[in-house]
Amino acid sequence: MRLILVSNRLPVQWDGTPSVGGLATGLSSFLTHWKSLGNEVLWVGWPGKAIADKEQSSYSKRMENEHGTIPVFLKQKLADSFYNGFCNKTIWPLFHYFTAHCEYSDTTFDSYAEANEEFAKVISKIYKPGDWVWVHDYHLFLLPGILRSLFPNILLSFFLHIPFPTFEIFRLLPERFRTKILHGLLGADLIGFHTQSYTQYFLRALLRCLGIENERGIVFFQNHLIKTGAFPMGINVEQFQKYSQSEDCKKIASSLNTNHRDLKQILSVDRLDYTKGVLQRLNAFELFLKQNPYWIRKCKLVLVLVPSRTDVSSYQTMKRAIDEKIGAINGSYGTLDWTPILYQYKGFPFEELVPLYKNTHVMLVTPFRDGMNLVAKEFLVSQDCGMLVLSEMAGASAELPEAILVNPSDLKSMAEAILEAIEMLPEEIRTRNHIMTKRLSENSVKNWAEKIFLETEDAAKKNLSFQTKSIPPTSDLLLPKIKKPIFIIFDYDGTLTHFESLPHLATPKPELIENLKELSDFENVSIAIISGRDKLFLETNFGKLPIQLIAEHGAWHKLPNSKTWNSLFTSSGEWKSQIKNHLDEFTKRVPGSFTEEKDFSLVWHFRNADPDIGLNAAREMLDELSQVSANTGFFVQRGNKIIEVREYGTGKGKAALKILPSEELNIFIFGDDTTDEDMFREMNESVTTVKIGKSETIAKYRFRSPDDVSLWIKNLIFFLRGKKNGTT
């Protein structure tokens, strides 16, 4: 199998030299394992600079042959507007909660969209059916949707390496931006995040921005099923542990420690970025020294700062502030033979970084906000007896609760955490670290990537099952197979008509009435409408048609051309007054909701309520009513933006069985809701069952909307006319 990895940057520099750190390093062990199984890998990304048009063809061949990479060529102006513009001046600060740094520009968003299209063009040239395409990170939010439109059956994963913010932050994006971003993400089979919180924030954004609900993390969008989930990214634990115990590592660690054998080492390793809280960390270290003079000349802070975005003025300003702070602390507390802070403004290779971890007594990983932070994990599996001080705002904190967790904005608690860590007994450190390293060993980067692949495959299989049910309304599979009478059962709302904001507005169109009348005029055709609607509504809208009407999910039945309704069961109705009071209380609490009372049921509607408030209230109501419904004469069922409480003995399945003749028939049943699943479930294999809409179903086939039902009725009329006339 071939994996097409897609990220903003290639795993090598534009000149072919390996990239240090980042996704390429993180995924290396998984990719080695993937290839060892006989699979292939192609990596698609931007080379990092504009390549002249005349050189692009030869450059592409060389990069593919030598490195297995496929470059995406972007003009320099487009790359700057896309990457330095929308990516780093809008998404990056917003998703890290630095809203004051955000710029909202249509120009840069247009560049972002154009760059995503360029990535799609490159992938479309190399993609083959059966490939697994794995798209990474915030630079390519729109790409999954573009690829899905080009290749409907593509096996496609998306993983976000930065936090997904709360809805209150996400909605600061202009509507035209955020809608396209969400639609783009929903092109994937699987959308992965580092933590459960990020997953929930994304699902809430879908609900609040697009009105799209989820079922246990599964989303239905445009006839497509998408799985969402938390997949904390791991590291190559074996590689770090093996090297940290090697003689080479021990020698380097010993040489690094030659002049500081009696000093407790505090380590900070970060990329230069305002989200990392480096200046705040220095202030906390300064406060630690001020409050704990005992530790002066007994510890050192090794600050490793990896250069980043050196051409951006705000980053230059940030670095100057850090440089000045380091100088101030060293000037205030340093002596001729002791410097509090050892500052390194450069990146370190793996072979030097691990010995640094090994020497460390206290590791400070305290970003203001971080999607995961793999440095914390690398330190834990490399250290001998060092304590991790970790920001509770980093995604890694969800996996590493045994670390000392701190609020990076609280200088006092940060200083206290440094003291606690540096004075912690070795036995306690080892106990805590053993628990964390064991957990990390069980979720290595290889396990992480394999799980994403398996979950993506599972989502694709569900999609295949989901989509094979989808069928055009003119398909021959939906025409009568035997020369027997035809019996058709329709649900009403969501099946014969679209939903409206208020139930009374969802009236049948004249064309539908005419088609039902024409269809029922055929001698061998019988029609029934089984609905949750009350008698008055069905009588008013369909009473003149020669069809059977069943109201309130089977509570009332009216024969064709009859003027009277008959109850299909008896009821005391004792439960209704108590439950109605309960529903009315929810109506008061949830603006836009209302309670509808029928003879044998009560319906709480929340279609017009705030989607978040309405959905939460519906869940609460379901939970409360389910606890009191046992042996009380009623049961509770969730429908399409409704909660229905109805009497035992009612139900569309039972009603359908009661009205079906015993003779052999061509039976067709159409419904859109959970209540219609009762009918589908009661029928045998010979019955043609059709689900309208995107939710899961046991029906044989699926239509997209009530419009397909209307087309099917017209097609059946055409078929019956031809049959009647002796034609085919």
Side-chain angles (χ1 to χ4, degrees):
M1 186 177 195
R2 193 169 65 161
L3 165 60
I4 301 176
L5 268 169
V6 191
S7 63
N8 175 53
R9 292 293 295 271
L10 289 172
V12 292
Q13 306 286 352
W14 70 271
D15 59 359
T17 56
S19 296
V20 178
L23 187 62
T25 303
L27 282 174
S28 60
S29 62
F30 166 70
L31 296 180
T32 300
H33 171 71
W34 179 264
K35 292 174 184 176
S36 73
L37 299 175
N39 299 314
E40 296 180 61
V41 177
L42 284 177
W43 197 313
V44 176
W46 178 48
K49 65 172 288 186
I51 306 295
D53 292 351
K54 62 183 180 180
E55 299 173 12
Q56 289 178 3
S57 178
S58 59
Y59 181 84
S60 291
K61 290 177 183 176
R62 178 165 58 85
M63 292 295 280
E64 182 174 359
N65 292 334
E66 295 179 9
H67 307 286
T69 61
I70 308 294
V72 177
F73 299 114
L74 302 177
K75 298 294 186 184
Q76 195 61 50
K77 184 177 180 181
L78 173 61
D80 288 341
S81 183
F82 152 66
Y83 180 69
N84 294 324
F86 195 76
C87 288
N88 290 329
K89 292 183 180 178
T90 305
I91 297 177
W92 178 266
L94 186 75
F95 280 48
H96 287 85
Y97 294 69
F98 284 82
T99 56
H101 290 65
C102 290
E103 297 178 10
Y104 305 105
S105 162
D106 284 289
T107 300
T108 60
F109 182 77
D110 289 344
S111 298
Y112 182 83
E114 185 179 347
N116 275 248
E117 290 281 359
E118 290 300 318
F119 271 79
K121 289 176 185 176
V122 171
I123 295 167
S124 66
K125 292 176 182 177
I126 62 171
Y127 171 76
K128 298 175 183 176
D131 288 346
W132 171 31
V133 180
W134 189 2
V135 179
H136 288 266
D137 228 2
Y138 63 100
H139 315 85
L140 302 170
F141 277 146
L142 307 184
L143 183 57
I146 301 170
L147 292 176
R148 180 67 57 189
S149 65
L150 294 172
F151 310 105
N153 296 319
I154 190 172
L155 182 67
L156 179 56
S157 312
F158 179 91
F159 191 84
L160 183 64
H161 291 269
I162 66 172
F164 195 94
T166 64
F167 167 70
E168 286 72 18
I169 296 293
F170 183 73
R171 69 174 171 182
L172 294 176
L173 277 173
E175 188 275 335
R176 59 190 178 278
F177 298 169
R178 66 184 186 229
T179 297
K180 290 180 180 177
I181 285 173
L182 293 176
H183 282 174
L185 284 169
L186 291 174
D189 291 305
L190 178 80
I191 306 172
F193 303 89
H194 280 303
T195 72
Q196 189 60 34
S197 295
Y198 304 157
T199 310
Q200 292 304 314
Y201 295 158
F202 170 71
L203 292 173
R204 190 175 181 218
L206 285 182
L207 178 66
R208 297 300 300 265
C209 294
L210 303 180
I212 297 175
E213 297 180 20
N214 74 91
E215 297 177 14
R216 300 179 303 281
I218 293 176
V219 177
F220 297 92
F221 178 69
Q222 292 182 347
N223 212 34
H224 179 64
L225 176 152
I226 305 103
K227 280 181 117 177
T228 65
F231 304 90
M233 186 175 180
I235 59 171
N236 188 346
V237 175
E238 184 180 354
Q239 179 192 22
F240 279 90
Q241 288 182 332
K242 185 177 180 180
Y243 180 66
S244 69
Q245 298 305 316
S246 69
E247 289 303 317
D248 287 346
C249 181
K250 290 175 182 177
K251 286 179 183 177
I252 297 173
S254 179
S255 65
L256 289 174
N257 213 19
T258 300
N259 299 321
H260 306 283
R261 291 192 182 278
D262 298 325
L263 298 180
K264 292 272 190 176
Q265 178 172 294
I266 303 168
L267 178 62
S268 169
V269 179
D270 268 311
R271 182 171 58 82
L272 178 64
D273 194 273
Y274 52 78
T275 65
K276 302 300 182 181
V278 176
L279 195 58
Q280 194 80 346
R281 201 173 305 159
L282 290 169
N283 288 330
F285 178 67
E286 183 179 33
L287 182 60
F288 162 75
L289 293 177
K290 181 179 179 182
Q291 293 180 340
N292 304 282
Y294 169 80
W295 282 103
I296 292 175
R297 302 184 68 180
K298 290 184 173 64
C299 70
K300 62 175 179 179
L301 171 62
V302 178
L303 179 67
V304 177
L305 199 59
V306 181
S308 174
R309 297 168 188 164
T310 53
D311 56 339
V312 179
S313 60
S314 60
Y315 281 70
Q316 295 167 359
T317 302
M318 188 193 327
K319 183 183 180 298
R320 280 196 299 271
I322 291 170
D323 292 348
E324 290 169 5
K325 189 64 186 179
I326 292 169
I329 294 172
N330 284 343
S332 297
Y333 291 93
T335 63
L336 290 175
D337 60 348
W338 177 69
T339 302
I341 302 174
L342 176 61
Y343 176 36
Q344 296 286 297
Y345 182 59
K346 65 176 184 178
F348 279 79
F350 169 82
E351 292 76 13
E352 294 181 28
L353 194 57
V354 175
L356 204 53
Y357 290 149
K358 194 175 181 67
N359 278 345
T360 294
H361 298 88
V362 179
M363 182 76 197
L364 296 181
V365 181
T366 58
F368 284 122
R369 188 76 56 171
D370 217 337
M372 173 51 68
N373 197 295
L374 299 181
V375 167
K377 297 184 176 185
E378 293 172 1
F379 162 74
L380 282 170
V381 299
S382 304
Q383 52 74 42
D384 279 343
C385 190
M387 193 61 211
L388 174 63
V389 177
L390 179 62
S391 167
E392 60 190 10
M393 307 300 180
S397 65
E399 281 185 281
L400 307 173
E402 293 81 10
I404 299 174
L405 301 182
V406 294
N407 181 339
S409 299
D410 185 349
L411 286 182
K412 185 173 181 293
S413 73
M414 290 257 285
E416 290 171 352
I418 294 172
L419 179 64
E420 180 186 355
I422 208 168
E423 293 185 346
M424 187 175 288
L425 294 174
E427 293 79 9
E428 183 177 354
I429 293 175
R430 290 192 180 95
T431 299
R432 292 191 186 202
N433 288 353
H434 175 73
I435 297 170
M436 291 189 282
T437 52
K438 184 175 184 295
R439 191 179 298 128
L440 295 178
S441 297
E442 293 169 352
N443 186 37
S444 68
V445 68
K446 177 174 162 287
N447 300 136
W448 169 75
E450 286 177 342
K451 187 174 182 182
I452 286 175
F453 172 64
L454 292 173
E455 290 289 336
T456 304
E457 270 202 325
D458 183 65
K461 288 175 184 175
K462 283 185 167 63
N463 258 311
L464 189 60
S465 171
F466 178 76
Q467 290 167 1
T468 52
K469 288 175 178 282
S470 297
I471 191 169
T474 55
S475 171
D476 289 346
L477 293 174
L478 296 176
L479 292 173
K481 305 294 187 302
I482 55 175
K483 295 180 180 180
K484 298 291 182 182
I486 299 168
F487 200 103
I488 309 167
I489 297 176
F490 295 108
D491 168 50
Y492 179 66
D493 288 289
T495 300
L496 289 176
T497 186
H498 291 273
F499 287 102
E500 297 288 351
S501 57
L502 295 171
H504 70 270
L505 299 177
T507 55
K509 295 179 180 178
E511 183 184 14
L512 173 65
I513 299 295
E514 291 173 12
N515 289 334
L516 289 176
K517 172 69 168 63
E518 186 172 356
L519 188 57
S520 62
D521 283 342
F522 289 100
E523 291 182 5
N524 65 333
V525 175
S526 299
I527 299 174
I529 294 177
I530 302 182
S531 172
R533 294 283 191 155
D534 59 26
K535 294 181 294 182
L536 179 60
F537 181 88
L538 294 180
E539 177 75 43
T540 301
N541 289 283
F542 299 102
K544 295 181 180 180
L545 295 177
I547 64 177
Q548 295 190 60
L549 300 176
I550 294 89
E552 297 191 37
H553 299 294
W556 294 102
H557 179 216
K558 179 177 174 294
L559 290 167
N561 303 314
S562 172
K563 294 183 179 179
T564 60
W565 288 82
N566 298 306
S567 176
L568 295 180
F569 78 111
T570 57
S571 165
S572 63
E574 294 177 356
W575 58 273
K576 280 185 66 179
S577 59
Q578 176 190 352
I579 299 303
K580 186 175 186 306
N581 290 336
H582 195 76
L583 301 191
D584 287 343
E585 285 299 315
F586 276 87
T587 298
K588 293 175 186 176
R589 285 166 42 190
V590 182
S593 68
F594 63 93
T595 301
E596 179 185 10
E597 183 173 2
K598 303 173 185 177
D599 290 333
F600 299 105
S601 63
L602 296 166
V603 186
W604 186 69
H605 297 260
F606 60 97
R607 185 172 300 278
N608 299 327
D610 176 283
D612 217 18
I613 297 173
L615 194 59
N616 286 333
R619 288 170 179 157
E620 183 182 345
M621 181 186 292
L622 274 173
D623 183 54
E624 291 182 9
L625 292 179
S626 296
Q627 293 180 41
V628 300
S629 63
N631 302 317
T632 52
F634 69 91
F635 72 100
V636 188
Q637 192 164 30
R638 169 85 184 272
N640 195 321
K641 293 187 170 54
I642 63 168
I643 300 293
E644 184 157 24
V645 188
R646 52 189 169 90
E647 192 121 8
Y648 275 120
T650 60
K652 291 182 177 180
K654 293 182 176 64
L657 289 176
K658 287 179 180 179
I659 66 170
L660 282 174
S662 58
E663 61 186 300
E664 190 176 358
L665 301 166
N666 285 292
I667 302 173
F668 298 87
I669 301 180
F670 298 82
D672 77 301
D673 211 337
T674 52
T675 59
D676 301 307
E677 296 296 316
D678 291 341
M679 290 194 288
F680 303 152
R681 197 172 290 110
E682 294 284 356
M683 298 299 138
N684 61 42
E685 279 296 309
S686 65
V687 175
T688 301
T689 53
V690 183
K691 175 81 167 187
I692 290 82
K694 293 175 278 189
S695 58
E696 290 185 89
T697 183
I698 61 170
K700 288 181 181 177
Y701 303 111
R702 184 189 303 277
F703 283 173
R704 295 192 176 205
S705 73
D707 297 333
D708 284 352
V709 180
S710 296
L711 286 173
W712 179 82
I713 293 171
K714 292 176 184 176
N715 190 57
L716 180 59
I717 291 171
F718 178 80
F719 173 80
L720 293 173
R721 280 179 185 160
K723 186 176 180 181
K724 189 174 181 180
N725 294 329
T727 60
T728 57

